[in-house]
Amino acid sequence: MTHSIDVLKRAALLTVLLLAGTFSASYAQLGVGRPVGQTIVDGIIAKIDNQIVLRSDLETIMAQEKARAEGKPLPPDMQCRVLQSLALNKLLLAKAETDSVVVEDSQVKGELDRRMNYFAQQIGSEKKLEEYYNKPIKQLKEDLRPQVKEQLIQQKMQEQISGKVTVTPREVRQFFNRIPKDSLPYYSTEVEVGQIIKFAKVNTTAKQAAQAKLNDLRARILAGESFETLAKQFSEDPGSGAQGGYLGFFGRKELVPEYEAAALRLEPGGLSPVVESQFGFHLIQLIERKGDKYSTRHILIKPTTGSTDVNEAAKELTTLRRRILADSITFAKAAKDNSDDKQSGANGGLLQNREDGSSYLPLDKLDPAIFFTIDTMKVGHVTPPMPYRTDDGKDAMRIIWLKSNTPPHQANFKDDYQKLAQAALSEKKNKALDEWFEKNRGSVFIEVDPQYSGCKLLNTVN
């Protein structure tokens, strides 16, 4: 690359391609709006074995890059960079098929759930997301499933190729020294924020009430009332309730174990007893089986939590906070061992920047609830327990820790070592991918639309 800092842009591009889901259908599925008035004429612009790159794939990403540039001109070779990355991804898929590289259905489901939770949070709720796209969450997931599966396979192939690549402090220093002084990025105020979340535990009385309600509905269904009608009226699953409880077809291990076990014990048309899972209590009806897949409908009732339940969570966090402030346990260990939010807990409680995977969060992009909480906090301070509602509507309490607060500055080696190390690592991994592409491109059939011959698609990106 001409300048080392370009690796930051390329790393971001690969993140978009592999993590955010930037294929042609993803405008509606991922909440990315196509620019008003833009018409995309589709067609195949590249073939890599039985994998294809569509013109809409390229145009979608270019539209996103233009939006991200906020009016600034894109590099003249950006289209070729994007096309090269798309071709690399398709080659990864082609070789994965040859090498029998697969991902588990449970991993695909987990990634789909994560994305839907994120977009529901961005738009306000699952219900608003469904209203915006006029589709139930279930259908949005099904539409997105093929793309997500492809992206996870690409990630797995990338991990096999460059997963063991590391950088030394000396290499990071050399990377930094190669960046022209006038090209050093300027960082706005950034913070590192940690959280420990404890869900409000549902008490026995609330559980019994939910079970009693479902048992009453079960009796009404057995007496002849319509399952679908009651599901539309009473189910607290926003995704399936409006569809009469219909969930569609799933394979084994794609739904929570308690639900699957109860469903597979039924004959078509059969009605389960009340089943408890992490989501609440279910009444399940098996519709049909097709090979290893089965379709069901359900009615979900979620036990309500009360102030007593929330207070118990607050007491646990108060005890943890006291230990953290007394230095008898670090915040990171407390989060890993105790937080009910497994994603941030595994990261020592630190929230992750979705754009680059680091723990540094631009102040102007923080969730307002966190922004106003840390606005007057000193570095190292841990808040008392505060009420919190999770993305899926669970009542909880949490404590927040301000680990660091970095004022606006131009990148330097001391303060930004972590970012520079990540960029240097990305550059080294990109080089490994380029070498792999160079080595393997001759083992597959590649054809490119003459219109894009100027991109020299068969050449490794420099």
Side-chain angles (χ1 to χ4, degrees), residues 77-90:
D77 64 342
M78 176 57 78
Q79 181 170 263
C80 289
R81 291 191 202 178
V82 172
L83 183 54
Q84 177 76 25
S85 294
L86 285 168
L88 171 60
N89 286 342
K90 297 303 182 181

Side-chain angles (χ1 to χ4, degrees), residues 81-271:
R81 291 191 202 178
V82 172
L83 183 54
Q84 177 76 25
S85 294
L86 285 168
L88 171 60
N89 286 342
K90 297 303 182 181
L91 179 57
L92 289 168
L93 287 174
K95 294 297 291 183
E97 185 174 343
T98 302
D99 298 345
S100 300
V101 174
V102 297
V103 294
E104 298 294 331
D105 286 339
S106 58
Q107 188 179 357
V108 177
K109 180 180 182 299
E111 179 63 14
L112 284 167
D113 289 343
R114 184 191 70 79
R115 293 193 190 185
M116 286 303 116
N117 287 339
Y118 172 72
F119 289 112
Q121 182 183 23
Q122 295 302 300
I123 204 169
S125 68
E126 282 191 355
K127 184 177 181 180
K128 289 182 179 179
L129 187 63
E130 291 176 327
E131 290 173 350
Y132 189 82
Y133 295 113
N134 197 29
K135 288 184 179 181
I137 293 294
K138 168 66 177 171
Q139 187 60 54
L140 289 173
K141 288 182 178 180
E142 285 304 306
D143 290 346
L144 188 56
R145 183 179 296 273
Q147 292 95 317
V148 167
K149 188 171 184 177
E150 282 192 354
Q151 291 158 18
L152 291 175
I153 291 173
Q154 291 163 2
Q155 289 179 36
K156 192 169 184 178
M157 284 294 294
Q158 278 206 13
E159 184 65 21
Q160 291 183 7
I161 297 164
S162 61
K164 295 182 179 179
V165 173
T166 60
V167 289
T168 64
R170 182 179 180 182
E171 288 175 315
V172 178
R173 168 66 75 177
Q174 290 172 340
F175 172 84
F176 177 71
N177 289 340
R178 292 202 309 270
I179 303 174
K181 300 306 178 186
D182 60 358
S183 296
L184 288 171
Y186 187 83
Y187 296 119
S188 59
T189 300
E190 294 178 316
V191 294
E192 289 182 290
V193 178
Q195 66 177 9
I196 300 177
I197 294 174
K198 296 300 293 183
F199 297 149
K201 292 181 174 62
V202 179
N203 59 42
T204 303
T205 302
K207 285 188 175 184
Q208 290 174 344
Q211 289 174 302
K213 186 173 183 179
L214 278 177
N215 277 320
D216 177 63
L217 292 174
R218 187 175 191 274
R220 291 170 62 177
I221 293 168
L222 291 174
E225 291 193 53
S226 165
F227 190 110
E228 295 99 310
T229 299
L230 293 177
K232 290 178 181 179
Q233 186 176 354
F234 294 105
S235 182
E236 296 173 7
D237 178 358
S240 70
Q243 311 301 316
Y246 182 67
L247 284 179
F249 280 92
F250 282 90
R252 291 181 181 271
K253 297 184 179 180
E254 290 188 344
L255 297 176
V256 290
E258 302 89 348
Y259 189 102
E260 178 178 291
L264 293 180
R265 281 196 291 265
L266 299 171
E267 295 296 327
L271 198 61

Side-chain angles (χ1 to χ4, degrees), residues 194-201 309-326 329-331 334-341 344 349 382-389 395-401:
Q195 66 177 9
I196 300 177
I197 294 174
K198 296 300 293 183
F199 297 149
K201 292 181 174 62
D309 309 307
V310 175
N311 288 340
E312 288 301 316
K315 287 179 183 178
E316 290 185 59
L317 289 175
T318 297
T319 300
L320 271 179
R321 179 176 183 266
R322 190 179 299 121
R323 292 181 61 197
I324 293 167
L325 295 178
I329 188 173
T330 65
F331 190 97
K336 287 179 180 179
D337 294 346
N338 298 280
S339 183
D340 288 335
D341 178 25
S344 62
V382 180
T383 68
M386 300 182 297
Y388 177 65
R389 185 174 288 270
D395 289 322
M397 298 291 288
R398 69 174 171 180
I399 55 177
I400 292 177
W401 169 47

